[in-house]
Amino acid sequence: MEIEDWAAFSGGSSDSELTAPDSDNEENCYAYSNLPKLQFRKNTSRACWKEELGMAEIVSNKGRMWTTTGITHGGKIYIFLEDMLFLAEIGALHLLDDEDKCIPLEDIYRKVAEGVGGSSWESFEVYRHLKSLGYIIKRHGVCWSMKRNKSMPASVGSESGSQRIINNGNEDISSITETTDLFRAMQINELRPVFDVYAPNNKFRKSNPGNPIFVLCINTGNPPTKKQIEDIEGKCEGILLKFCYVEHGRKA
């Protein structure tokens, strides 16, 4: 177990394709003023918000970032709210509603603040910090690549901690919402692994990701007890465990 001090935030992007907004192209999308983190790119991916999943499905993917971002299932990519907000802030993603209209950045912030899809502002702050440093991140307990289980029934169970099947065209999509439901039910001060973190790697493959370099727990309350640390370490199968303390948006 390690407790790491992450001091200065090195936000921003080194992508040379960042550019000023095109008033014709970006009209009715994210407002350029009053959002200092927001940037614009020549090639922007597009995703469709899926309310029933609390996630978004990528409908147009641009750039290499999708080799290290999102869950691949049935040839499609799905992303969580922390992915959406991070990419929207750097101008790499437009999030669309079911009428193909761009969802304002403020609405994505609101979804995160409300805990939609198991998100939280504290976990997003940590996610954004690590992504800006080049780390590859996914939610703990979620597979990078999922295959359809044909033996699975068409619909399953309840809202909390259960697996649901969402019909998507001709294919039953085995929902990734089992873990999402667990995140949703989790109180932010409940100590549990939140992210699996991988070292920057331009040869990274979702089909064969290897082990993360560490598993990250986020803590906003009292420091964990020795027993809590030992219990979590026992579930990490020998992978390094780190804790991040978040207080009023500050990480330590």
Side-chain angles (χ1 to χ4, degrees):
M1 187 277 296
E2 229 177 83
I3 298 179
E4 181 135 332
D5 182 10
W6 292 322
F9 171 65
S10 57
S13 172
S14 60
D15 194 329
S16 60
E17 291 186 349
L18 291 179
T19 182
D22 183 322
S23 58
D24 296 326
N25 247 0
E26 307 300 335
E27 189 176 4
N28 299 324
C29 262
Y30 304 138
Y32 189 59
S33 60
N34 302 322
L35 294 171
K37 292 182 182 298
L38 185 60
Q39 303 169 61
F40 289 84
R41 300 179 181 233
K42 294 176 183 177
N43 296 313
T44 304
S45 297
R46 297 162 71 86
C48 184
W49 173 249
K50 302 291 184 182
E51 186 68 38
E52 71 276 18
L53 290 175
M55 301 176 72
E57 177 187 328
I58 303 303
V59 294
S60 174
N61 57 334
K62 307 285 186 181
R64 291 177 50 82
M65 61 192 172
W66 300 111
T67 62
T68 58
T69 304
I71 307 301
T72 301
H73 180 81
K76 297 179 180 180
I77 300 173
Y78 297 87
I79 55 175
F80 291 105
L81 266 165
E82 57 267 21
D83 304 308
M84 295 174 227
L85 182 50
F86 177 78
L87 294 173
E89 280 190 337
I90 64 173
L93 180 76
H94 288 164
L95 184 62
L96 310 175
D97 60 20
D98 54 8
E99 296 181 350
D100 209 32
K101 294 179 180 178
C102 199
I103 296 175
L105 188 61
E106 292 91 337
D107 287 358
I108 308 178
Y109 282 123
R110 189 176 301 112
K111 290 179 188 296
V112 171
E114 292 173 354
V116 175
S119 61
S120 73
W121 187 251
E122 291 84 356
S123 62
F124 172 69
E125 285 283 325
V126 174
Y127 175 95
R128 178 170 58 186
H129 175 74
L130 291 172
K131 286 288 279 189
S132 73
L133 296 176
Y135 288 100
I136 299 168
I137 309 169
K138 73 171 181 66
R139 287 195 185 185
H140 181 75
V142 178
C143 295
W144 282 108
S145 181
M146 304 181 72
K147 294 182 180 179
R148 182 183 176 189
N149 186 349
K150 294 183 179 179
S151 65
M152 195 74 73
S155 62
V156 181
S158 69
E159 181 70 16
S160 178
S162 63
Q163 189 166 24
R164 292 178 290 164
I165 305 301
I166 307 298
N167 188 300
N168 185 19
N170 297 323
E171 182 181 22
D172 287 332
I173 299 223
S174 178
S175 172
I176 330 110
T177 55
E178 179 175 7
T179 302
T180 300
D181 288 339
L182 292 175
F183 270 74
R184 185 185 295 117
M186 178 187 73
Q187 298 295 319
I188 189 58
N189 59 0
E190 181 182 343
L191 195 63
R192 68 184 298 273
V194 176
F195 293 124
D196 292 338
V197 182
Y198 298 76
N201 180 3
N202 59 11
K203 296 182 179 180
F204 180 86
R205 294 171 58 195
K206 291 180 183 177
S207 59
N208 186 24
N211 290 329
I213 55 173
F214 62 87
V215 174
L216 185 67
C217 289
I218 298 175
N219 183 30
T220 60
N222 295 323
T225 65
K226 181 179 179 181
K227 185 179 186 308
Q228 285 177 313
I229 294 171
E230 290 174 346
D231 287 346
I232 297 174
E233 281 183 327
K235 299 174 183 177
C236 291
E237 301 179 346
I239 298 170
L240 180 65
L241 177 65
K242 292 191 178 186
F243 288 85
C244 179
Y245 182 75
V246 180
E247 182 180 17
H248 305 301
R250 298 181 61 187
K251 301 167 288 296

